[in-house]
Amino acid sequence: MADLTLSFVSNYNERVEPLMNGTIKADGVEIIPTYSHPSETFWRQLKFQEFEVAEMSMSSFLVARSRGADMIALPVFPSRRFFHAEQSYHVDSGIKAPGDLVGKRIGVGEYQQTAALWARGVLDHDFGVSQYKVHWYMERTDELSHGGATGFTPPPGISFHRIPPDKSMATMLVNNEIDVAPIAGHLSRAVNVIDRSTHIRASEADWSKIKPLFADEIGEAKRFVAKHGFVPVNHTYIVRGDVYRNNPGIALKLYDAFSKAKAHAAATLPERIPAALVFGPEYLAMTKAILGDDPFPYGIKDNQAMLQTIIDFSHEQGLTPHKMKVEELFAEELLGT
């Protein structure tokens, strides 16, 4: 019988699912899972701290911890993407290359979110597009945003605007009201958005004028990994402060369980490739050739460069008042992992 029962909220993630569904168990711990979309999860946890273990936006975690939030992270990073490479642009904007974004209008789901943090940082450091030389348009309202729960205000010197509540990034991009938005790879969802100001479905617009900023996204991923040595993290997992303090050893037990769940997912991945993806095994081999056998490393040691980069970006972009230290963020007993 488990010594401890913990409420656990997360989106579905194949590397975490074996822990969520009970295939993998944490020593002496019973997990009570709740599946929730990340944007809702983060708002609920940041505002109400209602779950004892929770998936958490890495950027919002940095912001919250810098403001004294009572939570501690596990060095578990099962969600990663190349966020800067997911941008799309309107051809009438005159953009031809990433460096052409200077002076343009860029949409973000939420200014504070991890995807926007990485996109701004990489565009600045790798392509010379300063965050201060573009115009930012944020879609999410304060009522349901991470920033609404942490008290976000736009950093000084930023050209910051709100997308009207009756519009969206997708409809504004296709109508050339903004120049760039992170919807590459998500057009099938974006085209079903209705602009509430005109009641016109985005799919009725001329999407032929929307192009990916990086025509070869895989090629850009190769460039990024060759230069930086990691895949940018999106989310981590946190333990509520009172649970961490009242249950010595809980961080290590959870970390071990997360690691076993990831190993189980990796071992069974080949047999889970859908038969309809005829070239699925070849894509898996290509992914490993580009990103290595484990694109989702856990622990502190294998993530030093990634963690320092996101810490630096958060401070540079005015989201955290000082550069956070790894020791301030992660459970003490896991700093040597």
Side-chain angles (χ1 to χ4, degrees):
M1 183 175 179
D3 300 320
L4 181 65
T5 299
L6 294 178
S7 57
F8 183 8
V9 65
S10 176
N11 191 29
Y12 174 86
N13 182 301
E14 62 185 18
R15 286 160 290 284
V16 179
E17 178 61 13
L19 181 57
M20 293 283 278
N21 66 23
T23 300
I24 299 295
K25 297 183 182 295
D27 183 27
V29 179
E30 180 182 1
I31 296 298
I32 307 300
T34 295
Y35 291 88
S36 171
H37 188 276
S39 60
E40 179 182 341
T41 297
F42 306 154
W43 181 82
R44 290 170 67 179
Q45 193 67 18
L46 289 165
K47 197 169 183 68
F48 303 111
Q49 299 82 47
E50 59 184 294
F51 294 95
E52 292 160 307
V53 182
E55 183 178 11
M56 179 54 59
S57 155
M58 192 66 201
S59 176
S60 291
F61 173 63
L62 286 167
V63 173
R65 281 294 285 166
S66 75
R67 300 182 181 190
D70 190 18
M71 61 179 76
I72 198 74
L74 309 173
V76 169
F77 313 106
S79 176
R80 301 174 184 242
R81 301 206 311 268
F82 297 95
F83 303 99
H84 69 287
E86 297 178 357
Q87 309 297 315
S88 294
Y89 69 94
H90 196 289
V91 296
D92 291 346
S93 66
I95 293 169
K96 302 295 183 184
D100 297 334
L101 267 61
V102 173
K104 301 302 183 182
R105 304 163 296 178
I106 304 179
V108 292
E110 179 165 349
Y111 195 89
Q112 179 180 302
Q113 68 184 161
T114 311
L117 175 69
W118 279 113
R120 286 191 300 269
V122 176
L123 289 172
D124 186 350
H125 285 263
D126 288 14
F127 299 99
V129 182
S130 169
Q131 59 181 325
Y132 298 104
K133 294 184 178 180
V134 298
H135 307 285
W136 300 101
Y137 286 76
M138 177 170 144
E139 182 179 60
R140 199 174 290 164
T141 62
D142 278 341
E143 289 79 8
L144 294 176
S145 70
H146 316 174
T150 60
F152 165 80
T153 56
I158 295 294
S159 176
F160 181 84
H161 310 271
R162 297 277 185 175
I163 290 177
D166 59 349
K167 296 188 177 184
S168 70
M169 281 194 297
T171 59
M172 287 190 72
L173 179 63
V174 77
N175 291 326
N176 200 22
E177 295 175 290
I178 57 176
D179 304 299
V180 181
I183 61 173
H186 305 285
L187 290 179
S188 62
R189 283 180 288 174
V191 297
N192 288 317
V193 174
I194 295 178
D195 187 325
R196 289 181 291 275
S197 66
T198 61
H199 304 288
I200 295 175
R201 189 175 294 276
S203 57
E204 299 170 7
D206 183 6
W207 283 89
S208 67
K209 290 192 172 186
I210 307 304
K211 304 295 182 183
L213 183 63
F214 293 90
D216 181 5
E217 189 172 343
I218 293 176
E220 172 53 21
K222 290 181 180 178
R223 181 206 69 81
F224 184 92
V225 171
K227 179 176 180 179
H228 299 284
F230 59 82
V231 181
V233 67
N234 196 7
H235 304 158
T236 187
Y237 284 81
I238 61 93
V239 180
R240 209 171 61 199
D242 62 312
V243 176
Y244 175 66
R245 290 187 296 274
N246 294 335
N247 297 278
I250 189 60
L252 184 58
K253 290 180 179 181
L254 290 171
Y255 178 78
D256 286 345
F258 273 112
S259 298
K260 290 175 182 176
K262 186 184 76 165
H264 178 83
T268 57
L269 177 56
E271 64 193 58
R272 288 185 287 108
I273 297 174
L277 296 180
V278 177
F279 299 107
E282 288 77 12
Y283 271 104
L284 177 58
M286 180 180 67
T287 299
K288 290 184 176 183
I290 297 171
L291 305 180
D293 288 336
D294 184 9
F296 304 92
Y298 292 176
I300 301 297
K301 294 176 182 177
D302 288 340
N303 287 286
Q304 287 282 8
M306 180 275 292
L307 289 171
Q308 192 58 57
T309 301
I310 195 171
I311 287 170
D312 290 347
F313 282 179
S314 182
H315 180 57
E316 287 175 7
Q317 296 177 26
L319 296 178
T320 47
H322 67 278
K323 286 188 181 182
M324 302 294 290
K325 296 179 180 179
V326 169
E327 308 89 77
E328 299 176 78
L329 303 173
F330 296 96
E332 182 179 1
E333 58 268 45
L334 299 177
L335 294 177
T337 57

